[in-house]
Amino acid sequence: MSNPKNASISGEGFRFYRWDPAEGGEPTDVLSVTSIRRLCGEPYVLVRWQIGNVIDTILGTQKQTTIGPRGGVTEKRQVFEFPSEFAKKYDATAGEQGAIDSVRKWLSDTADEPRNIAAIRGTITHEAIEKNVDWTRIEQAYVESAFAGLSNRDKSKVKDGVRFEDVNFVRNSLRQYWDMRANVPMFIIAREVQVFNLTAGYAGSADALAWLLPDGYDGPMPKAETFTLDMFRALGGELALLDWKTSKGVYTDQVVQAHAYMAAEFVGTNGIIDHRLTELLNATMLGGLVHIRPNSWAVHLFDFNQSVLRAFLGSVAFARFLATYPEPDTLFTANYSGSAPEGE
């Protein structure tokens, strides 16, 4: 949702990262990992959910997701208005084209609102995790302040601002996160790790590079900014690249995304390569999805897999092709056209 450093969003909504070497040289613009996936086509599960939102808006039904004060999640689809607001708006157009065009835009905006709310909740939760905020600090005022700090583009997508259920979602998600931290021995080396692969043509930001402590480790915790590959080798354990996920489920696309980050050439910001973090990233052969929900948490670890990386690199080539040829005209070698004469 919010822009990472050195990133910008195109008019079509795709994110690009710029690498402008501090030592000099030509800047390079590459697509983000998430935009590459979008260019190649939205995941089937997401498309099905979007279609369901359109149907709900038309029929006046709604899948109510209630987040209780203790983080309990309940979902139930039911009729909440009859006739639906869409039906009344459509009937009021009396078939006039301009009015129907307005209803069409309203339908598109309204049907996308559940996705926007989910994304806003996830963004605020991510930010709180990144800042090490204790879950007891998450109150209405905190969430409203975090919401106010979002871009105008993001805020405009949510009509009702911060609701009580949004506060419950963020508060209880943070409560689950800290419970996970208490039960999974890990040390976070770096957060928001910005990675680049200029050869393949992509970049992105992973949530955390972590050291998973060896069994029985009871030694002192090092300082994150001085943790090196040599220290890791001496202490043991495992290095893992982690992404926090607040989505309803975990998906194959998220595993692919993590592989892209692990296969990056270097870590860097503002044209400067971080050689210490690059060494650690290059030694990282474990990825992880940390699934945080208001009522539960889970850590899903997986080994780096060359076949998953090959699948992603194929999508990079396809996305770059589509970005280069948004229209087919320049691919044509000849054109023939005509129009049949009107019949007698």
Side-chain angles (χ1 to χ4, degrees), residues 224-271:
E225 62 271 18
T226 61
F227 191 88
T228 64
L229 183 58
D230 287 340
M231 291 175 64
F232 162 69
R233 287 171 174 163
L235 294 170
E238 293 187 274
L239 294 172
L241 197 70
L242 304 178
D243 254 5
W244 322 125
K245 298 300 180 186
T246 59
S247 50
K248 183 177 179 181
V250 290
Y251 307 104
T252 303
D253 271 0
Q254 294 168 342
V255 176
V256 175
Q257 180 182 2
H259 274 74
Y261 297 151
M262 284 192 283
E265 294 174 319
F266 61 86
V267 178
T269 307
N270 298 331

Side-chain angles (χ1 to χ4, degrees), residues 130-185:
E130 182 186 346
K131 293 180 177 178
N132 260 344
V133 177
D134 190 88
W135 71 271
T136 58
R137 288 182 51 202
I138 306 297
E139 303 287 354
Q140 182 82 20
Y142 177 91
V143 179
E144 287 182 349
S145 176
F147 180 80
L150 298 174
S151 68
N152 291 331
R153 175 181 177 179
D154 288 338
K155 286 185 288 190
S156 68
K157 295 177 181 178
V158 180
K159 298 177 182 177
D160 300 328
V162 174
R163 300 177 301 176
F164 182 63
E165 287 189 349
D166 301 327
V167 178
N168 284 342
F169 183 98
V170 178
R171 180 180 174 86
N172 285 290
S173 294
L174 262 291
R175 184 167 62 89
Q176 297 295 338
Y177 168 78
W178 284 113
D179 188 71
M180 180 276 296
R181 290 296 306 273
N183 286 280
V184 180

Side-chain angles (χ1 to χ4, degrees), residues 320-333:
R320 291 175 68 176
F321 173 81
L322 292 176
T324 303
Y325 301 103
E327 301 294 337
D329 306 48
T330 56
L331 296 171
F332 299 152
T333 57

Side-chain angles (χ1 to χ4, degrees), residues 26-188:
E26 289 296 318
T28 304
D29 292 313
V30 292
L31 276 166
S32 75
V33 171
T34 51
S35 290
I36 285 167
R37 185 60 183 90
R38 285 183 56 212
L39 259 171
C40 294
E42 297 276 21
Y44 168 73
V45 173
L46 178 57
V47 172
R48 188 172 60 180
W49 183 57
Q50 290 171 322
I51 292 172
N53 291 339
V54 174
I55 294 172
D56 280 339
T57 305
I58 291 172
L59 297 181
T61 56
Q62 193 172 75
K63 191 173 184 179
Q64 294 278 9
T65 302
T66 302
I67 313 296
R70 298 180 62 83
V73 180
T74 58
E75 291 186 338
K76 184 178 180 181
R77 177 170 272 109
Q78 58 189 10
V79 175
F80 74 96
E81 62 176 2
F82 184 86
S84 68
E85 186 175 359
F86 167 79
K88 290 183 283 189
K89 286 180 177 291
Y90 184 75
D91 185 62
T93 67
E96 196 274 317
Q97 185 64 56
I100 287 180
D101 290 343
S102 296
V103 172
R104 180 187 180 92
K105 183 180 185 307
W106 172 87
L107 175 61
S108 176
D109 293 343
T110 303
D112 207 32
E113 190 171 350
R115 181 183 183 184
N116 295 331
I117 291 171
I120 292 293
R121 287 174 172 176
T123 297
I124 295 174
T125 301
H126 271 71
E127 182 186 74
I129 290 173
E130 182 186 346
K131 293 180 177 178
N132 260 344
V133 177
D134 190 88
W135 71 271
T136 58
R137 288 182 51 202
I138 306 297
E139 303 287 354
Q140 182 82 20
Y142 177 91
V143 179
E144 287 182 349
S145 176
F147 180 80
L150 298 174
S151 68
N152 291 331
R153 175 181 177 179
D154 288 338
K155 286 185 288 190
S156 68
K157 295 177 181 178
V158 180
K159 298 177 182 177
D160 300 328
V162 174
R163 300 177 301 176
F164 182 63
E165 287 189 349
D166 301 327
V167 178
N168 284 342
F169 183 98
V170 178
R171 180 180 174 86
N172 285 290
S173 294
L174 262 291
R175 184 167 62 89
Q176 297 295 338
Y177 168 78
W178 284 113
D179 188 71
M180 180 276 296
R181 290 296 306 273
N183 286 280
V184 180
M186 71 169 69
F187 174 79
I188 295 181

